[in-house]
Amino acid sequence: MSSETCVSIYFRDNRIHIRQKTIHDLGKPEYIHLLINEEKKQLFIQSCERGRDAFRLYYSDEEDSRAETCYINAKAFLIYLSGVIGVEPDSDSLWYSGELLADGKTVYIDLREYRKIQYEGTR
């Protein structure tokens, strides 16, 4: 298990998976904001309270806590995000490394730096 802050985007399943270290870095929030800088192709994931623009996190029910992940169902957002990244909406899945910022509640991701991952349907 990597201790790296990371996120995987599964376009075909309309989900963003947030891995264990990233969840803990953000303080295991119930809601997050997904902030985009289109020009610089940057994504910021920020823990927040419930609100109009917040995404609810759904935590996995897996018994093995080492495999703990959470996900966001976000079809419309992923269609938009695919355009920002420059891939098709039904693209391969992408893996991103992230960095926790000094505020302690925001993870920064460079959307230009990704690795394609083998499609793993989550349905």
Side-chain angles (χ1 to χ4, degrees), residues 8-24:
S8 299
I9 299 175
Y10 293 92
F11 290 102
R12 295 178 191 157
D13 290 328
N14 301 311
R15 286 187 177 184
I16 298 173
H17 285 246
I18 303 173
R19 303 300 177 192
Q20 183 180 36
K21 176 149 182 359
T22 310
I23 293 167
H24 290 282

Side-chain angles (χ1 to χ4, degrees), residues 11-118:
F11 290 102
R12 295 178 191 157
D13 290 328
N14 301 311
R15 286 187 177 184
I16 298 173
H17 285 246
I18 303 173
R19 303 300 177 192
Q20 183 180 36
K21 176 149 182 359
T22 310
I23 293 167
H24 290 282
D25 284 350
L26 293 171
K28 290 191 80 172
E30 190 173 346
Y31 293 92
I32 60 170
H33 282 138
L34 298 172
L35 309 168
I36 300 286
N37 180 323
E38 291 180 3
E39 185 178 312
K40 294 183 179 181
K41 296 189 186 280
Q42 297 172 327
L43 170 65
F44 297 89
I45 302 172
Q46 188 174 68
S47 60
C48 67
E49 299 296 320
R50 182 178 183 170
R52 181 175 171 212
D53 296 330
F55 287 88
R56 180 180 175 86
L57 295 179
Y58 297 91
Y59 288 88
S60 66
D61 293 330
E62 296 179 24
E63 290 181 26
D64 183 356
S65 63
R66 292 175 299 149
E68 180 181 359
T69 62
C70 70
Y71 62 91
I72 304 162
N73 289 320
K75 183 176 183 174
F77 181 79
L78 286 175
I79 291 170
Y80 160 73
L81 188 59
S82 69
V84 171
I85 296 169
V87 298
E88 293 297 318
D90 65 346
S91 173
D92 291 330
S93 299
L94 304 177
W95 178 91
Y96 289 93
S97 177
E99 174 186 343
L100 182 66
L101 299 182
D103 69 1
K105 66 175 188 174
T106 306
V107 170
Y108 160 75
I109 295 171
D110 183 342
L111 293 173
R112 297 168 296 180
E113 299 292 326
Y114 60 83
R115 187 171 67 208
K116 289 185 180 180
I117 54 178
Q118 184 174 357

